[in-house]
Amino acid sequence: MMQMTPVGTGALEALREQTIHLLTDIAAALSGLNDGAQADRTRLQDMASDLREAFFLVAIIGEFNAGKSTFINALLGEPLLPMGITPTTEAIELVRYGSQAVRVPTVRQDSSTREWSHPNTGGPGVALVDTPGTGSVFQRHETTAKSFLHRSDLVIFVPPATRALSDAERPYLDLAMQYGKKIILVVNQIDLLDPNERETVRRFIEQQVKQHLNLAPLIFMVSAKDALAGADGGMGAVKAHLRGVLAQTPP
């Protein structure tokens, strides 16, 4: 179970409220206009809602079958999101903080986002976003996915240990870099490698992100599957880091 310091008070909270009011006013001004304006109005209302209910946004990105949903479930401490060997995320999965777990999601009108609630997202105001992990599905909800990524406070890139940092995965990192986001790498499925292979994969990833992306992010090696089964699986270090990030969030 991950417990973190609540965020969303003081000057940063005041800025959030100002932004919510601005988005709401613009959405109201678009009322009664053409269909295109109504679509913009809906998006603005969704953005205002996100800001009200999810202040510290953690976006999880990467290709399908990397175990992103399993990783989120390991953070939550239970299998809330669907998992499988075939693409299971047909929409953006948004897990908001809530005092009680909501295990049946609500679906937005455009079917782009399914919303869940759980007490272990990290604390009041913290939300986790699982973006679609296949090119076709990502493109289908590209505007919404990019909107979440643009507004995120932290991006966690989850490559699988067995095919870490493939050519298909680099565009996800490129996109996060374009938005100037803080990025950490969580290499999942290390249970499929022996200890020597794990170190080889870590060195390979460090080299590749430095050479191709000029990045030197923190890299964690985990088995979310083992963590869900009751072992640590390397998740303790990830949770400790996230606690530190939230503790340093400006009041």
Side-chain angles (χ1 to χ4, degrees):
M1 182 180 299
M2 178 173 55
Q3 298 295 332
M4 300 181 189
T5 304
V7 296
T9 58
L12 206 54
E13 174 69 11
L15 177 61
R16 176 176 72 150
E17 289 302 319
Q18 292 174 8
T19 304
I20 289 171
H21 287 310
L22 178 60
L23 291 170
T24 302
D25 289 345
I26 296 173
L30 295 176
S31 180
L33 298 181
N34 59 35
D35 290 343
Q38 293 311 304
D40 290 336
R41 178 171 177 262
T42 299
R43 281 193 289 271
L44 289 169
Q45 291 172 329
D46 286 343
M47 290 172 65
S49 177
D50 289 340
L51 283 173
R52 284 191 195 96
E53 300 179 40
F55 190 55
F56 192 93
L57 202 61
V58 181
I60 291 86
I61 64 173
E63 271 288 85
F64 88 96
N65 211 17
K68 299 193 308 299
S69 298
T70 306
F71 169 72
I72 292 177
N73 287 338
L75 287 177
L76 299 175
E78 67 166 298
L80 179 74
L81 302 182
M83 301 174 291
I85 60 173
T86 57
T88 55
T89 304
E90 291 294 329
I92 290 124
E93 307 280 16
L94 175 63
V95 187
R96 301 184 185 277
Y97 172 84
S99 58
Q100 300 291 327
V102 175
R103 297 181 176 85
V104 178
T106 58
V107 182
R108 290 191 180 176
Q109 289 184 347
D110 62 0
S111 300
S112 67
T113 307
R114 302 197 303 176
E115 298 186 8
W116 312 72
S117 180
H118 202 277
N120 294 344
T121 63
V126 181
L128 309 174
V129 180
D130 184 7
T131 57
T134 62
S136 60
V137 176
F138 186 91
Q139 290 167 10
R140 191 185 317 157
H141 302 308
E142 182 176 9
T143 299
T144 306
K146 285 184 176 180
S147 176
F148 276 118
L149 186 56
H150 179 67
R151 301 199 312 276
S152 65
D153 299 282
L154 175 68
V155 173
I156 300 178
F157 177 59
V158 182
T162 54
R163 59 173 197 279
L165 213 61
S166 66
D167 290 340
E169 291 174 315
R170 286 178 188 158
Y172 293 93
L173 276 176
D174 288 336
L175 191 58
M177 289 175 58
Q178 288 173 22
Y179 290 132
K181 299 303 178 181
K182 178 179 176 60
I183 302 170
I184 67 172
L185 270 65
V186 177
V187 182
N188 193 18
Q189 302 174 349
I190 64 169
D191 52 288
L192 301 178
L193 306 177
D194 65 38
N196 290 334
E197 290 174 326
R198 295 173 190 177
E199 185 56 32
T200 299
V201 167
R202 176 192 284 275
R203 289 198 300 266
F204 173 78
I205 291 175
E206 288 176 338
Q207 179 187 36
Q208 290 295 301
V209 295
K210 179 64 177 177
Q211 178 179 343
H212 296 286
L213 302 170
N214 197 29
L215 279 178
L218 285 173
I219 300 175
F220 297 91
M221 309 289 284
V222 308
S223 170
K225 176 184 175 183
D226 286 353
L228 270 180
D232 177 80
M235 291 296 299
V238 177
K239 293 177 183 180
H241 177 73
L242 292 179
R243 284 194 296 269
V245 169
L246 286 173
Q248 295 171 18
T249 299

